[in-house]
DNA sequence: CCCGGTTACGCTTGTCGTAAAGATT
DNA sequence: AATCTTTACGACAAGCGTAACCGGG
């Protein structure tokens, strides 16, 4: 189970072709074939069907492990490298779309900062593997509870802000004139699932008895404005931080009364924080909003 | 960053000796020396001090990654192996001490079941790496919230039971006659930290504003009776499931009123569940206590 | 001087590329 | 017939063990 073999395996699985994987990895076709053969011999199981090329059940199972594994491996390498490396001169800050809030915009105007907006799930990985120096992630959580983040690496975590949640309804919606709504009252409604840009519905469901709101439309992308437009146009409901929902321009924002959830933003930072990164982190982290 | 090199590195770090690690791993001293040299060359950093042998700061950082990494690697191997292997004839069930509750004892009298009580943190690893077929873990959580478990591998999770919490006080304690207590009232008290046997205090602290109760005495071991005896003798307070605290025989159990936490038990099971394991899992998982 | 880690060297094994063969659409 | 994977084989590098070396208590 050499990491190289694993890397080849995921490349072949993703591309559906030995030769394409070989091109991508800078090997010959032959080497790729040998890698897969070695893996299959090691695990004593077929991992790929040939012609067409695709993972077998065992291969699917292995793929589920391979991703996190290779990620952690990169994270480990990046982490020790950071210890020796000089503090970066230009900071790269990774943030999920809704983590870009007023607090960040206030602090940002520092020289040499790059803001990189990523899908929520990729932010921890980006920080862990050294692609970014700091990360800001957001998500739903019980008040003053930490977010449930995938632990790709031992990262430092600090709460940055917590904000009320609201549902963005189209103007004519029966609940649009209410002062607040309960999620269970909207359980049968159509929701837009936007795990990258909006709040992940699956996380919200964990707090409810049921499996959470059922999505009707899925939006992949990181543009919050487009998401708001969809919701205002009546394609489905969206859960957003209250200020964002109210600033949407169209649609009606109704605060969420139950379950007791907040929109929480957290700062992620790698172990050995030095220089400008440490300074920015200190400014961001100190007052965790009530 | 070959896993073999990593394995050698953690062995050397743990044993504090190249030769001892060589004996343990079945290599020669020389090979171990070469392994470490290769790792240090690869990462371009010293990882170990020699004479005495111990990890450098970079080595410490790498060690934090190496453990989970090697664990995941074993988990991956075990997971695909389980797909091909025949369903086990004798089930091995891993459980943290407080996960052994009435529900389990009711169901257990099946033929060929081994119950293995492990420290809480080791249960997920035992299930993931195939040492055990099923796992039962417990911990504090907000009502109907899943536990925060380290994700060593993609394991199946199912809620099994939730129970009230209580503080076990010595007989003469000022709060001993109360009907219920709030944790913040006891914030200044002396607590026993028993992460293996009792409830992990750090997890409880996450729900509070402060860093959680400060431990005074630390108990390492998995014997709940001994822990209760310590608490009853006045060495510190202990947080326990209410039934356990009440059955302690000595001391006084006072239910916890705030924060709203419950003692939650969850079943862990690997992906391809077959045969007797699937049957037992089905019996255990179906009615998640309110 | 002894214990323990490092270095040198030879052998074995593994890994890659080239090229020919085999299989599938 | 064309495309893509597998197999054969030779060159090269990597990994391990034996043994000599070296540095600190």
């Amino acid at each position: 189970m050499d990491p190289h073999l694993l890397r080849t395996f995921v490349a072949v699985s993703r591309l559906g072709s030995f030769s394409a994987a070989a091109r991508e990895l800078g090997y010959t076709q032959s080497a790729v074939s040998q890698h897969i053969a070695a893996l299959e011999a090691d695990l004593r199981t077929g991992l790929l069907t040939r012609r067409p090329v695709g993972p077998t059940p065992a291969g699917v199972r292995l793929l589920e492990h391979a991703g996190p594994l290779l990620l952690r491996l990169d994270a480990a390498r990046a982490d020790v490298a950071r210890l020796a490396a000089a503090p970066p001169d230009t900071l790269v800050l990774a943030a999920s779309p809704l983590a870009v809030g007023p607090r960040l915009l206030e602090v940002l105007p520092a020289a040499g900062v790059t803001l990189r907006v990523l899908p929520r799930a990729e932010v921890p990985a980006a920080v862990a593997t050294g692609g970014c120096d700091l990360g800001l992630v957001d998500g739903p959580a019980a008040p003053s509870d930490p977010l449930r983040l995938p632990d790709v690496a031992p990262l430092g975590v600090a709460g940055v802000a917590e904000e009320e949640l609201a549902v963005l309804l189209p103007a004519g919606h029966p609940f649009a004139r209410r002062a607040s709504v309960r999620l269970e009252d909207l359980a049968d409604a159509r929701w837009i699932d936007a795990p990258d840009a909006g709040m992940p519905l699956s996380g919200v469901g964990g707090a409810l008895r049921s499996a959470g709101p059922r999505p009707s439309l899925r939006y992949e992308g990181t543009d919050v404005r487009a998401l708001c437009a969809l919701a205002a146009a009546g394609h489905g409901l969206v859960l957003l931080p209250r200020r964002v929902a109210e600033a949407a321009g169209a649609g009606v924002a109704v605060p969420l009364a139950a379950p007791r959830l907040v929109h929480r933003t957290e700062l992620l930072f790698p172990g050995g924080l030095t220089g400008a990164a440490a300074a920015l982190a200190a400014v961001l982290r100190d007052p965790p909003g009530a």
Side-chain angles (χ1 to χ4, degrees), chain A:
Chain A
M1 293 241 312
D2 191 310
H4 293 226
L5 305 188
L6 241 47
R7 229 164 212 128
T8 309
F9 172 64
V10 307
V12 172
S13 298
R14 176 166 42 82
L15 298 170
S17 154
F18 282 53
S19 5
R23 275 192 297 278
E24 181 174 297
L25 298 172
Y27 287 122
T28 51
Q29 254 166 342
S30 164
V32 170
S33 186
Q34 291 176 50
H35 279 188
I36 301 301
L39 247 188
E40 293 185 327
D42 181 18
L43 299 177
R44 281 169 244 287
T45 326
L47 297 172
L48 290 171
T49 62
R50 325 291 153 100
R51 228 180 296 269
V53 173
T56 65
V60 171
R61 191 63 63 83
L62 184 59
L63 277 176
E64 289 169 14
H65 290 270
L69 236 160
L70 295 174
L71 201 66
R72 276 207 96 109
L73 212 78
D74 289 346
R77 166 165 255 110
D79 211 358
V80 304
R82 236 177 326 226
L83 269 184
D89 47 344
T90 63
L91 286 182
V92 182
L93 205 159
S96 49
L98 293 176
V100 182
R103 195 156 166 59
L104 174 62
L105 299 175
E106 208 175 274
V107 173
L108 245 194
V113 172
T114 302
L115 180 62
R116 187 177 296 167
V117 175
L118 298 173
R120 178 177 288 104
E122 293 176 21
V123 173
V127 177
T129 57
C132 301
D133 303 300
L134 293 171
L136 280 172
V137 221
D138 72 291
S144 75
D145 241 28
L147 293 178
R148 289 166 190 279
L149 299 171
D151 62 340
V152 290
L155 291 175
V157 180
V160 162
E162 289 192 359
E163 204 184 342
E164 224 180 323
L165 281 171
V167 180
L168 185 59
L169 304 166
H173 195 280
F175 288 1
R177 304 187 62 102
R178 286 212 192 181
S180 71
V181 290
R182 302 162 56 98
L183 201 56
E184 47 190 298
D185 298 336
L186 291 168
D188 299 327
R190 300 159 58 82
W191 290 84
I192 301 178
D193 187 21
D196 293 344
M199 311 283 284
L201 293 181
S202 56
V204 176
L208 290 175
R209 196 98 356 161
S210 74
R214 253 201 317 267
S216 65
L217 188 149
R218 186 177 171 86
Y219 171 69
E220 294 182 356
T222 57
D223 183 12
V224 177
R225 263 205 130 60
L227 181 60
C228 292
L230 284 173
H235 292 289
L237 310 185
V238 177
L239 197 62
L240 291 169
R242 185 176 179 175
R243 286 167 176 272
V244 175
E246 285 171 346
V252 181
V254 180
L256 185 73
R260 273 187 193 284
L261 289 174
V262 295
H263 175 255
R264 181 171 231 260
T265 308
E266 288 183 354
L267 176 70
L268 295 180
F269 50 94
L273 215 48
T274 58
L280 181 54
V283 177
L284 277 171
R285 74 188 290 188
D286 69 73

